[in-house]
Amino acid sequence: NAGVTQTPKFQVLKTGQSMTLQCAQDMNHNSMYWYRQDPGMGLRLIYYSASEGTTDKGEVPNGYNVSRLNKREFSLRLESAAPSQTSVYFCASSRLAGGLQGQEQYFGPGTRLTVT
Amino acid sequence: GENVEQHPSTLSVQEGDSAVIKCTYSDSASNYFPWYKQELGKGPQLIIDIRSNVGEKKDQRIAVTLNKTAKHFSLHITETQPEDSAVYFCAASIENSGGSNYKLTFGKGTLLTVNP
């Protein structure tokens, strides 16, 4: 049981390049999330997927797109990377979609992205 | 939307002392308050959570208290050990049986250092 896995662990991009961050969970969770973490800013929600087939914007969605490929996988795409997107990106999942006592979120190890 | 303030941003204690981290929230509808520990280079890990139907919850050396009237909650770590050194995040959200609010709002984090 690997929990939440993310690939790649590290990535360096040039301004304007595109890339997709991959996330998968093996806990049969319904909801999945993408966060970014910047120094002094805590964790900010980019996009989330409450259940398979649905996605919604979070606090900082500009410059990103997501795909909930199936129940297990949730990818984050940067179409045209900018230096402001230099950050650590975390994927998370939780068991229930909007239910009681199911919101505990489990995080992956993160992807460290640098855009030059 | 919800706003979570966390204090202090850094905290240094001697091994064996207690540590207290405090958070306030703005949305009186919030009813789920988790605490996460993040070690260097890793993703956040849930360590304890509390729901608004209780005022205190304890798990070995860690405890969380909640004051709904004042809209603040705190993490207490007793008999601190060097391995407690990490960044701690508080968060708040609304759990409900039929709604669509799955989003955690995080505080900006507290760097706890336990000196041997």
Side-chain angles (χ1 to χ4, degrees), chain A residues 12-18 81-82 114-116:
Chain A
V12 178
L13 291 178
K14 291 187 180 349
T15 297
Q17 288 185 319
S18 62
T114 301
V115 183
T116 61

Side-chain angles (χ1 to χ4, degrees), chain B residues 41 56 68 87 116:
Chain B
E56 183 173 0
K68 287 187 291 182
V87 178

Side-chain angles (χ1 to χ4, degrees), chain A residues 31 33 35 37 40-43 45 48 50 57-58 90 96-109 112, chain B residues 32 36 38 40-46 49 51 89 93-104 106-109:
Chain A
S31 301
Y33 312 81
Y35 293 89
Q37 184 175 37
M41 298 295 291
L43 289 145
L45 184 66
Y48 67 101
K57 295 178 180 179
F90 289 100
L96 290 179
L100 294 172
Q101 301 193 16
Q103 284 207 45
E104 297 88 347
Q105 292 190 18
Y106 297 85
F107 284 79
R112 283 148 186 80
Chain B
Y32 174 63
Y36 285 84
Q38 186 178 26
L40 193 62
K42 296 186 178 180
Q45 180 181 14
L46 179 70
D49 57 14
R51 291 173 170 86
F89 292 96
S93 78
I94 302 169
E95 280 186 332
N96 56 70
S97 60
S100 60
N101 190 341
Y102 313 93
K103 295 178 284 188
L104 284 174
F106 284 84
K108 289 184 168 47

Side-chain angles (χ1 to χ4, degrees), chain B residues 3-113:
Chain B
N3 183 48
V4 177
E5 301 276 346
Q6 183 172 348
H7 299 279
S9 56
T10 61
L11 179 59
S12 182
V13 300
Q14 289 299 121
E15 184 177 356
D17 287 351
S18 295
V20 180
I21 303 169
K22 299 182 180 181
C23 290
T24 60
Y25 59 99
S26 61
D27 190 342
S28 57
S30 290
N31 57 7
Y32 174 63
F33 307 94
W35 285 89
Y36 285 84
K37 175 183 180 182
Q38 186 178 26
E39 296 176 342
L40 193 62
K42 296 186 178 180
Q45 180 181 14
L46 179 70
I47 55 171
I48 194 167
D49 57 14
I50 190 168
R51 291 173 170 86
S52 59
N53 57 343
V54 298
E56 183 173 0
K57 184 175 179 181
K58 192 171 181 180
D59 183 3
Q60 298 182 15
R61 294 187 297 109
I62 60 173
V64 57
T65 58
L66 171 66
N67 183 328
K68 287 187 291 182
T69 303
K71 290 191 283 190
H72 68 70
F73 56 112
S74 300
L75 178 71
H76 305 253
I77 306 175
T78 58
E79 300 172 22
T80 53
Q81 301 167 1
E83 51 264 41
D84 294 329
S85 296
V87 178
Y88 291 81
F89 292 96
C90 63
S93 78
I94 302 169
E95 280 186 332
N96 56 70
S97 60
S100 60
N101 190 341
Y102 313 93
K103 295 178 284 188
L104 284 174
T105 301
F106 284 84
K108 289 184 168 47
T110 296
L111 174 61
L112 173 65
T113 303

